[in-house]
Amino acid sequence: MKFLRSGKLLFLLLSMLCSSLPVLAQDEKRWTEEQVNSWYQKVGRQVGSNYVPASAVNQLEMWQGSTFDEPQIDKELAWAESIGMNTMRVFLHDLLWKQDQSGFKNRIEAFLKIADKHHIKPIFVLFDSCWDPHPVLGPQHPPIPGVHNSGWVQSPGALALSDEKEYSRLQEYVVGVIGAFANDQRILAWDVWNEPNNGNPEAYGRAELKNKQAFVAKLLPQVFDWARSANPSQPLTSGVWDGDWSPQNLSAIQNTQLDRSDFISFHNYGWPEDFEKRVVTLQRYHRPLICTEYMARGAGNTFDTILPIAKTYNVGAINWGLVAGKTQTFLPWDSWAKPYVLMPPTIWFHDVFNADGRPYREQEVKLIRQFRSN
């Protein structure tokens, strides 16, 4: 080790080491406030739904080759277009990439052609910590009678999340999907991880990883880095959803979400007073705000109460659910404890349309149409 005392040799070795490390180019860094606000001004106010066709119980059934339902998607997105919606938030899954990369990309392309036909730009969600932690490819089980979203699955599942040997596969998925569509102007944005710290205590608490949040806290920054490395022309985000979001109370996961997102996204299913409070809290970031989940009629969070506030603050609004179907999200969350098998709930919880295309409430459709107008 004596030769390391030579300053020249040490400098040379350090230079060689540094030159071999990956360096983020300028366009791979977080968008500046100016860039992202300019983007938001260009794309305009966003309104839409979290979308899975009525014929699919979850993301896997939506996208797998044997159940990918183009006619159903075309019909339903036409309904969305007819009421003025211009975006959909759509969930992907890492196992779909593992199963059939080429076919998966082809089906995303087919979806984008349909969405573009209806003047809708989707936000694609890469990972999701909600509901069943043990996803399995192939035929999906039918909906559990009377239960809200009984077939939805996490991505990555618990086994992949807890096994670092799986991370290279997850990286290939993120870089592969974003890289294939990095310059596609039909895509609005990428949501890298839905509710990453959700432990699903009521539905799947016993099946969850005991230290799930520690794994997520370690992996989430890497996912942002993987997404950036694909050089997308579309912005990245991951929405905060729990806690009070005051700076002193943010968790490591929330700090990553808020520090790495180009525009700020959030979820809110509370009363309108709470929705407005959350918006004001997040304005401190001086970035566009899009609420990527809201609207739970039985919880007091409705189109009637939320859309006027969102419009006042120029906040994008993406409600949960477009068409009542196999996800059964018109049923409330408490159906996990007391399934609605003998009679339906008094009011629908989520969703906009009946399966035949009739709006659940015509007044809601009028409010959605008005949302994008000045």
Side-chain angles (χ1 to χ4, degrees):
M1 301 296 289
K2 186 176 180 179
F3 67 93
L4 290 178
R5 295 175 184 174
S6 166
K8 291 183 179 180
L9 280 173
L10 180 58
F11 177 82
L12 179 61
L13 287 171
L14 289 173
S15 298
M16 291 172 62
L17 175 62
C18 290
S19 66
S20 68
L21 295 174
V23 179
L24 286 177
Q26 184 62 38
D27 62 352
E28 292 176 357
K29 294 180 179 178
R30 186 190 194 194
W31 289 19
T32 65
E33 291 179 19
E34 182 181 8
Q35 286 174 316
V36 74
N37 281 301
S38 176
W39 164 82
Y40 193 61
Q41 185 175 18
K42 180 180 178 181
V43 300
R45 190 180 297 126
Q46 299 296 303
V47 64
S49 295
N50 283 266
Y51 179 69
V52 61
S55 56
V57 74
N58 61 22
Q59 321 93 302
L60 296 177
E61 192 164 50
M62 175 179 178
W63 289 107
Q64 289 185 114
S66 61
T67 47
F68 184 62
D69 195 343
E70 292 186 58
Q72 185 76 17
I73 293 168
D74 187 26
K75 178 175 65 176
E76 293 177 357
L77 293 193
W79 297 341
E81 179 187 21
S82 73
I83 62 173
M85 288 184 168
N86 59 353
T87 190
M88 290 286 135
R89 185 168 177 253
V90 183
F91 290 71
L92 308 179
H93 201 287
D94 66 278
L95 291 182
L96 296 162
W97 183 261
K98 180 180 181 180
Q99 178 187 54
D100 178 13
Q101 296 179 17
S102 177
F104 187 27
K105 286 189 289 186
N106 289 340
R107 288 186 286 277
I108 293 175
E109 173 62 29
F111 179 87
L112 286 170
K113 285 182 179 178
I114 296 171
D116 188 54
K117 168 185 171 184
H118 296 296
H119 307 100
I120 288 170
K121 292 188 175 186
I123 297 175
F124 283 128
V125 185
L126 296 169
F127 291 128
D128 182 8
S129 285
C130 292
W131 305 108
D132 190 344
H134 298 290
V136 179
L137 289 166
Q140 302 298 294
H141 69 74
I144 299 173
V147 176
H148 173 108
N149 219 3
S150 60
W152 204 260
V153 291
Q154 296 186 34
S155 173
L159 295 178
L161 179 61
S162 61
D163 185 357
E164 292 192 10
K165 293 191 292 292
E166 288 284 308
Y167 290 5
S168 60
R169 178 182 67 80
L170 299 178
Q171 180 178 8
E172 290 172 4
Y173 157 63
V174 172
V175 175
V177 170
I178 295 182
F181 299 96
N183 295 306
D184 198 319
Q185 296 307 302
R186 297 171 297 178
I187 297 173
L188 183 68
W190 301 95
D191 189 333
V192 303
W193 203 319
N194 177 63
E195 298 191 359
N197 54 326
N198 195 328
N200 306 285
E202 290 82 10
Y204 290 97
R206 293 182 179 180
E208 286 279 22
L209 289 172
K210 301 305 179 185
N211 50 351
K212 178 181 177 179
Q213 291 203 14
F215 284 108
V216 172
K218 183 178 180 180
L219 185 57
L220 181 59
Q222 297 180 60
V223 175
F224 269 104
D225 288 341
W226 299 340
R228 296 274 183 219
S229 73
N231 293 319
S233 60
Q234 311 93 348
L236 307 180
T237 195
S238 177
V240 290
W241 67 283
D242 65 335
D244 66 10
W245 309 339
S246 56
Q248 67 274 17
N249 292 326
L250 293 174
S251 68
I253 291 173
Q254 291 171 325
N255 271 312
T256 297
Q257 291 177 286
L258 294 167
D259 290 345
R260 298 290 194 98
S261 292
D262 296 317
F263 66 91
I264 303 300
S265 60
F266 67 100
H267 299 172
N268 184 269
Y269 289 108
W271 292 99
E273 297 87 350
D274 183 62
F275 181 90
E276 184 170 21
K277 178 182 177 182
R278 301 305 182 122
V279 169
V280 172
T281 296
L282 294 174
Q283 283 183 321
R284 70 176 184 268
Y285 293 97
H286 307 293
R287 292 174 177 271
L289 301 179
I290 298 180
C291 180
T292 49
E293 286 189 28
Y294 79 102
M295 212 284 292
R297 295 180 183 92
N301 186 292
T302 66
F303 290 115
D304 309 61
T305 58
I306 299 302
L307 283 180
I309 299 171
K311 188 171 183 177
T312 296
Y313 288 94
N314 197 27
V315 174
I318 303 176
N319 71 279
W320 190 274
L322 184 66
V323 182
K326 291 177 74 173
T327 61
Q328 300 180 157
T329 53
F330 61 91
L331 300 171
W333 295 318
D334 67 9
S335 60
W336 279 89
K338 48 179 183 179
Y340 288 76
V341 291
L342 298 179
M343 58 185 300
T346 303
I347 59 173
W348 277 16
F349 200 65
H350 297 318
D351 301 323
V352 179
F353 289 102
N354 287 276
D356 61 2
R358 291 178 298 111
Y360 175 66
R361 280 185 65 222
E362 193 62 42
Q363 178 60 26
E364 293 177 340
V365 166
K366 292 178 181 178
L367 288 168
I368 293 168
R369 286 195 183 105
Q370 295 168 2
F371 182 72
R372 288 174 59 197
S373 65
N374 295 327

